[in-house]
Amino acid sequence: MTSLPKNKPKKKLGLVIDLDICVGCHACAVNCKEWNAGGHSAPLTDIDPYGAKPKGVWFNRIHTFEAVHEETGRSRTVHFPKSCLHCDDAPCVTVCPTGASYKREEDGIVLVNADTCIGCKLCSWACPYGAREYDEDEGVMKKCTLCVDRIYNENLPESSRAPACVTTCPAGARHFGDLGDPSSTVSKIVAKRGGVDLMPEQGTRPVNKYLPPRLKNIDKQKDQSAPRMLTHQDDSSDGAGLLARWVDKLLS
Amino acid sequence: MSFNPFETVKEEVDLSVDPADEVKTTTCYMCACRCGVKVYLKDGQIRYLEGNPDHPINKGVLCAKGSAGIMNHNSPARLQKPLLRVGERGEGKFKEIEWDEALDLASQWLGDIRGRDPSRLAFFTGRDQSQSFTGWWASQYGTRNFAAHGGFCSVNMAAAGLYTLGGAFWEFGEPDWELTKYFMMFGVAEDHDSNPIKTGIGKIKTREDAKFVSVNPSRSGYSAVADEWIGIRPGTDGLFVFSLIHELLRAEKIDFASLARYTNAPWLVIENPGGADDGLFLRDEAGHPQIYDVREGLVKNALDAEMTPAMAGRYALPDGRNAVPSFELLAKRYLDKQYAPEAVADKTGIPAATIKRIAAELAEVAFEQEVVIDTPWTDIWGRRHEKMIGRPVSFHAMRGISAHSNGFHTCRAIHILQALLGSVDVPGGWRNKAPYPKAIPPGPKPAGQTTSANTPLSGVPLGMPTGPEDLLVDEKGEPLRIDKAFSWEHPLSAHGLMHMVIRNAWAGDPQKIDVLFMYMANMSWNSSMNTKGTMHYLTDKDEAGNYKIPRIIYSDAYDSEMVSFADLVLPDTTYFERYDCISLLDRPISSCHGPADAIRHPVVKPDRDVRPFQDVLLDLGARLKLPGFVDDKGAAKYPGGYSDYMVNHERAPGLGPLAGWRGEDGKEEGRGKPNPEQIKRYIENGAFWSKPFPPDQQYFKAVNKGYLEYAHHMGWVANIEPIIHQLYSEPMQKFRLAAQGHGKRQPPERHRQRIEEFFDPLPIWYQPFEEDFLQGEDYPLHALTQRPMHMYHSWGSQNAWLRQITSWNRLFMHRDTAKALGIEDEDWVWIESRNGKVKGQVKLITGVNPQTVWTWNAIGKQKGAWRLAKDAPESTKGFLLNHLIDELLPAREGGKRYSNSDPVTGQAAWFDLRVRIKKCAPEEIEETAPQFSALGVPPNMPDVPKIARFGKKLTGTPKGAPVAAKEWIAHEGEVMSALRRESQKRILRQAQDEANAGKKNSHGEKNK
Amino acid sequence: MHPAKSVIFFTTASGAGYGLIVWLAMAALLNLLPLEAFFACVAFGLAFVLIIGGLLASTFHLGHPERAWRAMSQWRSSWLSREGLAAVLSFAPMGLLALYWLWPEQALLGQISGAMAWGSIIMALLTVFFTAMIYASLKTIPAWHSKMTVVGYLVLALMSGAMLMALLTMLWGYDGAGLFSIIALVFVLLGLGVKLLYWARLAGKKITSTAGSATGLADFGAVTLVESPHSTDNYLLEEMGFKIARKHAAKLRKIAVLFGFLTPILLLGLAIMLENSSLQIVLLFAGVMLGGIGLVVERWLFFAEAKHVVTLYYGEHAI
Ligand SMILES: Nc1nc2c(c(=O)[nH]1)N[C@H]1C(S)=C(S)[C@@H](COP(=O)(O)OP(=O)(O)OC[C@H]3O[C@@H](n4cnc5c(=O)[nH]c(N)nc54)[C@H](O)[C@@H]3O)O[C@H]1N2
Ligand SMILES: Nc1nc2c(c(=O)[nH]1)N[C@H]1C(S)=C(S)[C@@H](COP(=O)(O)OP(=O)(O)OC[C@H]3O[C@@H](n4cnc5c(=O)[nH]c(N)nc54)[C@H](O)[C@@H]3O)O[C@H]1N2
Ligand code: SF4
Ligand code: SF4
Ligand code: SF4
Ligand code: SF4
Ligand code: SF4
Ligand SMILES: [Mo]
């Protein structure tokens, strides 16, 4: 475990996040905090929680962006949740001097061992995505665990054996599964929707994928005449002609 | 652990920690959506909250607020003990008193005025969910001065719906999320149906055959994911909808058959200008409305089964009067060219081409993409229909429409559009939720025309007037209620005008009161207009040095701003510590699939000297010996407290607060004797009861025989009669006739013109009042608030987690608008209205109507409240737009100042606000304004931690008996995963379809 | 990046310490200086104080300093681990070299002195190299992700070490003082060159990542942040979101160049030209002190000017 697992994990558990649906409600972020506050990385300490500069440990955060296309003038608002992407080539693991940061061989989940972490913060410098969370109070690094203490948990009903952020998302914008298996549902969804990597140029090969917003009906709009525009049945400006037609309308 | 510097220590992760000693289910109360929640308890503390997968509302999901409920429950702002004011009002200086003393005091104050004049008590409640109980209390007490928050919330929406369709958007209806193909949402940021809307939008968005259009000046939240966003100019939706109607009428894309059968479109309206019956429906002796039968060539009962009604034409009546089908009036009005797309484009900010296209899309989906369900059903006339045919266009609207002074008419306009498209309660359309639809308008009428000492009201204080005779006015036509509800100023104010109570009580207009009793409403801050003024009204004294509002009793669970303004504070529990009842008698959790109701029950014990407010109210009722609260011997009727009431109270024989497991054996639903085991049954079932309608009762409920019979059994409708949609509103015309000088009750002269103008039986559009009054003055921008999805009004800011997401708000503004004003991103600005100015920082965006600025609602806090530090961003940078909103309109000719509300319903016109923006001088930046002196903290409040380590002690395997968590496995619903599987299947199905069709993938554009 | 005091102190101080060791070892190898115990005490003492002080300082910013020993385990993959290991191992040759200088007559020490000198040079440079690689290996901070970072750390360590060496030898009035002054001058000039190149690279650096690539939304247009996940700063922003105004940075660069390089060049140049040893001492002392200030400012800027790609999620457009 000094470095990344020698045998690249075949199973790549991760999340697929649908930016076409995410309404930016923060439910995933808060339920994540709630589950994990008492979970593997407990607590998720909050500093100055009722004061001037509240800040705490969160494994998942929601940003909101606008993307404005200069040429077409098309503009979109996109809510953007982000947690650890459980990268295949996770730099946060290789920089760690203690081995506290590691990637599980079984399923590719990247975790921190709070018993051996020295709190040097280097992993947080190495992660491009801001997915490492330093707990000032405990002096150790924490991060999204992919709810490792949930997804295999035999004490939970099966419907709960998925990451908290996934089960709680009211819009259904989050999916969880094995992205190493091309026949898995999540892999198929990624293929169908053209799922993307964040900052591929960083070479981290993230497992989590993002489904870009769809332009489903927007292109139709440019063509204001689609669908078939309505034809007016009468052109008298006050509708007198129409009313006359309707006098004889037989309805029962 | 060994000391080997070269060792890589492998972590042993416990993958199967038992997370709970016990899992209980109850109902969330972080907002009004009322989801089912599973509470994981460890060592007697709440460790985790999870959506209940079996629950009909949220099916396993939980929103941000719901998940953060733990932190509200653990908030250091929780009140600890009853408080009696010792300082001046507004200072927040209190001493703790015992409950006995508190209740003695309250019953002494209340008993005293009840013995003199019960209407000297004003009892107003806020965001609570027990209005059928509090309203009943008020009526047994005998005061007409009661209402809940509806008047400042969305009564336009409720009233417009109830006077038109017998149901409304708000909490009374929802789109047919599974089947709809065209979903149009007007002015919604979040709404009460918080989770179902999100789930529904998620469903629509993952279907290829559905489109979601959001009409909203702002492109945040739901609008961000809409397939089309229409950035309308605030207050102009009426024009937009009329224009759509104009287009549909001209193209004859109207569901004439449905109009003829299910609406009053063919009903004959008397044309008798100047007559007392002008504009009323032609009725026979029995009072039945009439139609003109084209085939038979005669006028006949509109409710007959067989008819061929005329939709247009003028018909001479034997007595010489003329009558026209109301549809003709409707069509004439909206065919007028003032509603042509080109004519409204400028005012609405929507290009004519877009309006035309949307009309065409609506028509296409409604009339060419019918949804057919193979379920036979029988209509109220006994006719069997082999199939359920639906027009899969659905609408939803909320406060963006209703919180304007023209909101009532705009809401009605949307309902009329629905009816014209034939999409009301049909497959794929918009559907009623039980117990709706109700008769139009539903009963009862408001009670309280007379009140007397020690005497209950003749009915409940709130109701639905159908004509001037139902108003609560004195012989001069002046208002009787403290909020002037049901007066000529706002005749159809079905939910009262909570936003006017404090101002009117201070002014003694129309009367003085002795005690203001409030529950769960932060009235000194974010739920009032003109906050600064309101603080003044609450603290102002007369010459003798007495407060103008002599006594204020208030129940809150937390140290909100309002607490500091109370004389006597009755501390409530948190929602995990008490019984509550989410009843079909008031605002149930039903969906369109069937009725449902729910309870809360204590899942943890209070660790403070607090009492559930409902228990307190029962106790007060018993101490005051209110009828219904005591038995014949004068002993408390519900000694067991609220749970006792929930089980044993009967509003009518067999009808109680809870519908499930009634009858002695618990086998009856809706009606039945009280069942002592009822609460137990609820708890076993996950704290709710729900019953899906059989398939043949799912749709067309207004005329569905089976459904109406069931509704009658359940006590939702008084009679088994068709509910005919009222496009043309006769009650409106009755008020107008009174203004024209007809009838026994006529408005005082100064209100006549206003009544005549705004009581149009068909929807009209007019410029919102504020904008109209300010014509010529330089307030060029609309200013709006929106609810953040993760905060509930003011009560989210005490939450250690939620406030990390938003602890201060900015003013969002269009880049181009800012540029023209020389304002840059993050600049501090003054936001000025005719009522004052506030200071804040701007954030420039493109997704907003350029004539509109907006901010998050209720983030700004008064210093010292909610146990937040004095330098918390909520009070140093966060601002409240409410300071800018006047509760009164500028004086009209004659000096009359109406409330800043809709003239029909009294709905608070929050979103009429007009402002101008000015860059702050450099020395003015860094702190918001206005600032107020910091509120005091009640005695013996718990310490505020500098570091919070929630969860630290709740890890690992529990100490208690670890059985109940596992019980859940047996009980497991699997609904949640089913829900997700469903959405995944949808996506994959499309993939398959597309592969088959050889189509480019929908994101093909990206790969170019 | 947030310029943490402990890390600034650590890198500058231990850099100077290792630099001094390199030059001491050189001197030993080339027999440039007499093996005087008092000098050895002071020179090696100073070097060790700087190195150990720096290392200690670096543990201050650890959440768990008491576990610092664990940091050596991952030398196979982690530059930080390698640095830690090298730092610890380097004490062996450095210590032995110091002992040899104190007791040159000790035969065993004498025998291995050459090897220890080489060992010290290699280990000192290696440690500085590893330190530099911690920064240079971070793709997430494009300003650092370059050979220039490594060259800079090595040259500045040798430069600050040489200046100390020049001052010390001058204090003792050794013959080598002149040579070390010239070496110091050369390295200050080199240092200036390296730093100017570093800044030139920063100015001309191509964009690595954008808000578009960070969000995957590049195809939809220019991406700007509308709302941060939190309305107050979180750990990420405090640690990685440090922002320095362009004007401020320019001023500090001038200070760094003036104190760290130009003044030492002037002072060293003067010292080389002058004959008066006490004046030389004053000049060199001033050079060391002012240069030290300059180097601290340089190191502060090294952090403050470096942008982390995570800020693309918090309002930055391109890095
Ligand atoms: N500018 C602007 N102002 C608005 C609006 C807007 O859109 N814009 N919206 C308006 C609307 S629609 C509404 S409904 C109002 C809402 O305004 P309010 O009804 O005043 O809502 P809150 O601010 O949440 O205040 C409710 C109070 O209930 C207390 N409370 C919470 N839980 C409990 C409990 O369990 N028991 C008791 N006894 N008290 C409890 C809280 O501490 C708080 O003091 O705001 C209105 N104000
Ligand atoms: N998270 C959360 N949920 C809540 C609440 C909460 O405080 N927080 N409060 C609850 C309560 S009490 C209520 S009443 C509901 C209200 O739920 P919403 O009706 O969703 O309330 P608002 O947030 O006021 O949203 C009003 C929307 O209308 C838009 N708008 C304003 N003017 C116009 C207009 O003229 N035309 C159009 N088309 N749009 C316009 C605004 O941009 C905004 O998006 O939410 C309930 N749910
Ligand atoms: S819960 Fe779902 S919809 Fe809400 S922010 Fe998270 S991903 Fe988006
Ligand atoms: S996202 Fe960051 S923390 Fe997670 S694996 Fe990748 S580099 Fe590591
Ligand atoms: S902070 Fe902890 S996990 Fe991160 S690199 Fe340092 S020791 Fe490893
Ligand atoms: S997978 Fe678990 S830990 Fe990770 S973001 Fe989701 S809820 Fe949080
Ligand atoms: S929507 Fe409302 S009731 Fe449902 S979980 Fe969220 S806060 Fe609770
Ligand atoms: Mo509301």
Side-chain angles (χ1 to χ4, degrees), chain A residues 84-87 90-92 110 127-129 131-132 143:
Chain A
C84 171
L85 310 175
H86 298 279
C87 307
C92 59
V110 174
C127 167
Y129 309 106
R132 315 225 20 132
K143 66 178 290 300

Side-chain angles (χ1 to χ4, degrees), chain C residues 92-114:
Chain C
M94 291 185 323
L96 288 170
L97 184 64
L99 285 180
Y100 161 69
W101 208 302
L102 285 169
W103 294 292
E105 52 288 346
Q106 241 291 333
L108 193 66
L109 285 171
Q111 272 164 23
I112 59 166
S113 68

Side-chain angles (χ1 to χ4, degrees), chain A residues 31 34 46 48-49 51 56 58 66 75 77 102 137-138 153 160 214 216 224 228 233 245-246, chain B residues 11 16-17 48-50 62 67 205 210 219 250 252 357 368 803-804 846-847 946 948-949 952 984:
Chain A
N31 203 272
E34 197 196 8
D46 298 304
D48 200 18
W58 295 73
E66 271 185 357
S75 143
T77 301
Y102 66 100
D137 181 48
E138 306 235 306
N153 197 327
S160 296
R214 297 190 292 170
K216 198 163 69 167
Q224 292 275 10
R228 241 175 328 104
Q233 301 300 329
R245 277 162 73 104
W246 295 339
Chain B
E11 184 180 29
S16 269
V17 179
Y48 177 61
L49 302 172
E50 187 178 38
L62 212 57
S67 301
K205 289 285 297 178
R219 196 184 55 200
R250 297 199 73 182
E252 286 190 348
R357 178 175 46 76
E368 283 158 53
R803 75 181 288 264
Q804 286 182 56
T846 46
K946 278 268 135 226
R949 303 179 181 88
K952 191 171 172 129
Q984 295 180 341

Side-chain angles (χ1 to χ4, degrees), chain A residues 31 167-168, chain B residues 23-40 48-63 66-67 195-196 575-576 582 589 596-601 685-689 968 976:
Chain A
N31 203 272
T167 58
T168 209
Chain B
V23 178
K24 290 183 177 171
T25 48
T26 184
T27 306
C28 179
Y29 199 176
M30 289 295 284
C31 89
C33 185
R34 293 148 294 178
C35 301
V37 55
K38 286 162 68 181
V39 186
Y40 286 59
Y48 177 61
L49 302 172
E50 187 178 38
N52 178 357
D54 300 337
H55 199 274
I57 292 277
N58 58 318
K59 303 186 172 69
V61 306
L62 212 57
C63 82
S67 301
N195 279 329
Y575 65 98
F576 289 117
I582 298 112
I589 57 163
D597 61 13
I599 64 162
R600 286 188 198 93
H601 59 109
N685 194 54
F688 69 91
W689 166 84
W968 256 96
M976 178 58 239

Side-chain angles (χ1 to χ4, degrees), chain C residues 230-250:
Chain C
H230 302 275
S231 51
T232 43
D233 281 358
N234 54 28
Y235 160 72
L236 298 166
L237 281 176
E238 286 181 357
E239 183 79 2
M240 262 102 44
F242 189 86
K243 269 199 198 127
I244 178 168
R246 208 184 283 262
K247 253 192 358 221
H248 196 50

